[in-house]
Each structure stands twice: as C-alpha cells, then as structure tokens.
Amino acid sequence: MYINNIEVDKYQEQAIKSLKNTLLIAGAGAGKTFTIVGKINYLITHNIYQEKEILVISFTNKSVQDLKLKIPYSLDILTFHKLAMMILKDYQINYTIASDALLEYVTKEFFLSLNNESLQQEILLYYHEYTYDKFLNSSKFTNMVKIIINFIHLYKTNNLDIEIFKETVIINKFYTKLIILILNVYNEYLKDNNELDFDDLIKKATLVLDKFYKYKLIIIDEFQDTSFLRWNLVKKLMDLNQAKIFAVGDDYQSIYHFSGCNINLFLNFTSLVDDAIILKLKYTYRNSQELIDLAGKFISQNKKQITKSLISHKSIKNPLKIIYYLNPKEALEKVLKKLILKYNDILILERNNQDIDFFLNHNFSKEKDYLMYQNKKIRYLTVHSSKGLEAECVIVINLTNSLMGFPNQIIDEDIIKKVNDLKDNFLYAEERRLFYVALTRTKNEVYLLCPYFNKSIFVKEIKKYLN
C-alpha cells in the first residue's frame, strides 16, 4: 500500500484500514500525520465515507493549516473552537468572543478598584502586609492574580461545577472566597456584554447541540491533549450521529496538563468509548534506535503510562552528548562552531521563555524565533512550542537543578491541585514527558548543555543509561 508514492508500513496500514473506534498510539516520528492522511484517502477512494461525513479536529490553527495542505479533499478540518463556532452559527446564536486578556483585566481591576476596607484588611493579614497600595505593587499581588486566573480557567476547562467550592474552602478559605467573587464578576461581565470566552464557547455548543449532523467519522489529532470540556463536545457529536472515532496521539508526549488537558482521557479510552480498540505505530522514522532506546528508558520509569517501544532502521553511535560547562556563553558558542559545519538545521530548545539570553554573547543577534550566528540562522524555541517539529540536530539548554530549571520545580498551590489533579504522584511526571519531547525532536544528535555544578536530575538519570 502506497500514499503519495511512499510505502506504508504494516502498522500504519492496519490503522488506515481500521473501521472500528480506534485509539492509535503514534510515538515520536512514527508518521502520525502521514497515517491520518492515508486513512482519509483510503476511506474516500474506497467509498466507505464521503468527504462531508468526515470531521478532522486538531488543536491549533497551525496544525489545522498543515493538515489542510496535506489532505487533498474538501472536508471539515477544524480546531475545537472553530467547531463550536460552526455549531453556534448553525443554531443562530449571536455572541462576541471575549478577549484572551479579559479575565486578567477583570481580576486586576477588581483589586485595584477595591474599596471594601474589610476585604482589604483580610488580604493584608493573609499576606502579612501593612498597606494595601504597597501590596498592589508587590510580587505577592502578581502571584495572587496568577493563582486566581489559573484556578478559574482550570475550573472551566475541566467542566467543574460549584460543588467543588465545598472542597476548596476546606483547603484554603481565603482563596476560595476571592475566586468566587472574581468568577461572579467575570461571568456577569460576559453575560451583560453577550460574550463567550473560549471555554464557554465549547460548553455552549455542547449544551445546544441536539440534532443529527453529517459526520460519521471523527478524527482527533493529538488526542492526549484533550480536556474534559472538549471531550464532552466530541462525545455528544458521536452519540447524536452514531459516529465512529479515530483518535491519534501519544501519552508520552502529553505536556499540557497545566492548561487543563487530561491524560486520563487517553489512558482510559476503551472505558470511555464502546467497542474500541488500541493500535500502535511501532516504527520511528526520525530518531536512531540508540536515541529512542535512551529516551524510552527515561520516559518509561513512570509506570502509569501505556507501555510501548519504537523500532528504527537508523543507527547512530552515541547520539546523545552531555556538555558540562562553567561558562554557559562559551559552551553554547563552542558547540555551535562545531555543529554548523555538520548540520544546516539546528534547533535550540529552552525550558522557559528567555532562557536563551543566559547563553548568548556579542557574537549572536536575536530575532523572533531564531538566532543569527556566523551568517547562519539557528532556530530556538521553548520545548512546548517544538512539539510536532523536528531538526537535524537539537541542543537543550538550562539543564539546571533549580526552581526554573529543567525539570521546573514549581509546586502548584494545593487549591490548584484540587481542580487539576491527575492522581499521578510520580515525581515531575509532566516535566519528564516534556524532556522526552525535547530529546525526540532530533533526526541525528542531541546535545544537553548542563552546568558542572547544580546539574539537572534528568541529566544525572539519563547519564546512567549511557553506560
């Protein structure tokens, strides 16, 4: 079987021809998009489904555009939000989309204009501050706003109800009180202005949806990044249309739990969907066997995942290099001097925005998503932004054992855990998956830049697997 003159492997062919409800586990470089395109082509050319009967859902506008370029058929390829907007339009529901910054604005404005002296004193007492104006200009205020915004977003995207506040009030009565106040103001503003935020958009579409649509097959890309709110919309579409589902993803690459995505939907797929099967793509066409074995040993330490191993026909001796340094600027330049002679496509991955600044000297100039060094463009991205991408060679920076290192060691407030708890107690579980994503972006070598002192625990661990 061929797709665009490229032969599919036996595991890809099995997934392409599956007509059951299917979860396809597609590891790094296993040809996930290639398989989706092949499946659509097979279903249409064999008259199993018509174009209008297939819905493809992906998570970002960029991934949707990428799929549209690769799928030569006129079918609906949408983000979850565009799908919700299409449904609301069909039901002739008028609304305006709220600004992304609205919740932050409402939260800050609430406190900046607060004239309730009793509540002001309560805040000052909680934070051990003496004057309210001073508090408003402190990092404590910034952190409080961040916690409230994060809680409200997770509360909504996890499709929770007011009953959760009976539990959070026991954990933190002070924050629960503030969150309820802000949430009421925020919801009132949305209602008065006939606005829907992105979470409400999906929730509203799910609530109004009550009729048969044309879809008989729903394909979901990056299924490991689904939230309960999004899943409820998909499940209702499936039930109303008696539609099949073809979900594609990799639990090893679930890295958006902080935003409400829930890996348990992926892990419990056969419990959520009747008559469902699980298939796996077993060949990787990106990484060498040596690298994927190293990355696999690292990620599989967490046993609360679906066991899998990838096979590669590519072999590279010692594909992972650990570069220890005293001076980060000298270390990066020394590595790049060697690599630019060997590779045309080098990707630098940082754990946090602006980590790269710590590694640059006057020989570099910094553009939006790339560096200029010796008249060559070198891409740099956060690891989160690199998901789905690949490069000839990868350099990972900021591998320190610190609060903002890799792994990040920031611990969520207990009240946040209450609205976003995976019940996964494995240490740095999501950071581990993020590191796996970083390692598997490379087609050839990956270089880990690590300080001599204060080494990342991830580097210490993976070094053991090199022996």
Side-chain angles (χ1 to χ4, degrees):
M1 185 178 185
Y2 289 81
I3 301 170
N4 297 329
N5 297 319
I6 301 173
E7 186 175 8
V8 303
D9 66 45
K10 61 182 180 181
Y11 301 106
Q12 292 170 340
E13 184 170 356
Q14 184 184 20
I16 286 168
K17 292 182 176 179
S18 172
L19 300 181
K20 291 186 175 183
N21 291 318
T22 303
L23 173 66
L24 178 64
I25 301 174
K32 170 178 65 72
T33 304
F34 175 74
T35 305
I36 291 174
V37 174
K39 185 174 188 69
I40 291 168
N41 182 67
Y42 174 81
L43 294 172
I44 293 173
T45 57
H46 285 76
N47 297 315
I48 297 169
Y49 294 113
Q50 297 178 37
E51 293 175 59
K52 66 180 181 181
E53 294 174 331
I54 301 174
L55 168 65
V56 181
I57 305 174
S58 197
F59 282 81
T60 65
N61 290 322
K62 184 178 180 300
S63 60
V64 163
Q65 291 305 316
D66 183 52
L67 285 167
K68 284 181 176 179
L69 289 173
K70 293 176 179 176
I71 297 172
Y73 296 102
S74 179
L75 45 83
D76 288 337
I77 306 173
L78 306 167
T79 62
F80 279 97
H81 296 115
K82 288 288 174 62
L83 172 62
M85 291 167 68
M86 183 192 75
I87 292 169
L88 294 180
K89 182 180 180 181
D90 189 38
Y91 280 80
Q92 298 182 332
I93 294 174
N94 297 315
Y95 63 93
T96 303
I97 296 178
S99 164
D100 278 350
L102 179 62
L103 179 55
E104 181 178 1
Y105 172 79
V106 168
T107 305
K108 286 183 176 178
E109 192 61 27
F110 175 88
F111 293 108
L112 292 172
S113 60
L114 181 64
N115 53 22
N116 182 327
E117 291 187 9
S118 175
L119 185 55
Q120 284 186 10
Q121 288 303 313
E122 197 173 334
I123 293 168
L124 293 176
L125 184 64
Y126 184 87
Y127 281 105
H128 306 291
E129 290 289 345
Y130 295 101
T131 62
Y132 191 66
D133 286 344
K134 182 180 177 183
F135 168 74
L136 292 177
N137 290 294
S138 71
S139 60
K140 293 177 182 178
F141 172 66
T142 302
N143 187 55
M144 181 182 74
V145 168
K146 184 179 178 181
I147 291 169
I148 291 171
I149 291 171
N150 195 17
F151 183 100
I152 291 174
H153 170 65
L154 292 169
Y155 167 81
K156 299 183 78 169
T157 200
N158 282 311
N159 205 30
L160 300 172
D161 57 35
I162 58 173
E163 290 297 308
I164 192 68
F165 293 115
K166 292 180 180 178
E167 300 177 36
T168 60
V169 75
I170 298 170
I171 296 170
N172 193 312
K173 184 178 179 180
F174 169 77
Y175 265 115
T176 300
K177 179 180 179 178
L178 293 181
I179 288 164
I180 291 172
L181 286 170
I182 299 294
L183 185 58
N184 287 337
V185 172
Y186 180 62
N187 286 336
E188 190 175 324
Y189 179 93
L190 291 173
K191 183 179 178 181
D192 290 347
N193 292 277
N194 194 32
E195 292 186 6
L196 296 174
D197 63 21
F198 285 125
D199 290 325
D200 287 335
L201 196 66
I202 295 173
K203 189 170 185 176
K204 183 77 171 178
T206 307
L207 286 172
V208 302
L209 187 61
D210 64 357
K211 67 182 181 182
F212 178 83
Y213 266 74
K214 57 195 174 184
Y215 305 121
K216 293 183 180 178
L217 174 67
I218 300 173
I219 298 174
I220 304 181
D221 188 20
E222 303 287 6
F223 184 69
Q224 77 278 353
D225 294 328
T226 306
S227 68
F228 276 111
L229 197 64
R230 291 164 176 161
W231 172 247
N232 287 342
L233 177 57
V234 171
K235 190 66 169 65
K236 197 165 186 182
L237 264 179
M238 288 172 61
D239 292 343
L240 287 169
N241 296 275
Q242 298 299 298
K244 298 288 186 183
I245 184 171
F246 183 74
V248 187
D250 180 13
D251 53 317
Y252 283 0
Q253 299 183 70
S254 177
I255 58 173
Y256 293 106
H257 172 58
F258 66 89
S259 67
C261 300
N262 197 307
I263 194 175
N264 289 323
L265 291 166
F266 191 97
L267 298 176
N268 300 323
F269 183 81
T270 53
S271 299
L272 296 168
V273 180
D274 294 334
D275 190 32
I277 62 170
I278 296 177
L279 299 177
K280 300 177 183 179
L281 299 184
K282 296 189 178 181
Y283 291 108
T284 177
Y285 298 93
R286 178 189 302 152
N287 310 128
S288 65
Q289 189 66 57
E290 292 83 355
L291 181 70
I292 205 66
D293 284 347
L294 277 170
K297 284 180 184 178
F298 177 82
I299 192 66
S300 62
Q301 295 305 306
N302 183 354
K303 304 305 178 186
K304 194 181 176 183
Q305 298 173 124
I306 297 173
T307 304
K308 64 190 81 74
S309 58
L310 290 171
I311 302 166
S312 174
H313 297 302
K314 182 190 292 187
S315 178
I316 297 175
K317 189 177 179 180
N318 302 323
L320 186 143
K321 310 281 198 306
I322 302 173
I323 308 297
Y324 297 107
Y325 62 79
L326 292 173
N327 185 315
K329 294 178 172 61
E330 289 179 1
L332 179 62
E333 185 167 24
K334 184 177 179 180
V335 169
L336 280 176
K337 276 182 179 177
K338 179 176 71 171
L339 293 182
I340 59 174
L341 300 175
K342 188 176 181 181
Y343 300 112
N344 292 317
D345 179 25
I346 299 170
L347 174 62
I348 299 174
L349 296 179
E350 55 185 2
R351 172 57 187 84
N352 316 289
N353 285 313
Q354 280 84 53
D355 281 350
I356 190 70
D357 294 345
F358 190 61
F359 289 80
L360 301 182
N361 61 27
H362 62 277
N363 293 324
F364 293 86
S365 60
K366 186 179 173 185
E367 304 296 335
K368 187 173 184 288
D369 289 323
Y370 63 87
L371 306 173
M372 287 301 300
Y373 178 71
Q374 294 189 0
N375 295 318
K376 295 205 174 187
K377 279 187 178 182
I378 299 165
R379 287 186 293 163
Y380 75 93
L381 295 167
T382 63
V383 185
H384 282 100
S385 300
S386 75
K387 191 150 171 287
L389 303 178
E390 60 185 20
E392 290 180 8
C393 182
V394 167
I395 300 170
V396 186
I397 61 175
N398 195 26
L399 288 159
T400 63
N401 182 27
S402 60
L403 190 67
M404 296 297 287
F406 202 170
N408 267 200
Q409 298 173 22
I410 299 171
I411 299 173
D412 282 338
E413 297 277 343
D414 287 341
I415 196 169
I416 295 294
K417 292 178 184 176
K418 197 65 187 175
V419 289
N420 205 33
D421 189 6
L422 289 179
K423 304 290 189 294
D424 181 358
N425 296 320
F426 196 86
L427 186 63
Y428 304 126
E430 180 140 337
E431 289 290 306
R432 184 173 286 268
R433 293 191 291 269
L434 191 64
F435 190 58
Y436 175 83
V437 168
L439 295 178
T440 55
R441 296 312 90 198
T442 185
K443 294 179 182 179
N444 297 289
E445 298 175 300
V446 59
Y447 285 73
L448 307 181
L449 266 60
C450 179
Y452 271 110
F453 306 105
N454 208 30
K455 301 176 181 70
S456 163
I457 59 172
F458 285 174
V459 172
K460 290 179 180 179
E461 179 181 339
I462 206 160
K463 186 180 178 183
K464 297 175 186 176
Y465 307 142
L466 293 173
N467 301 326

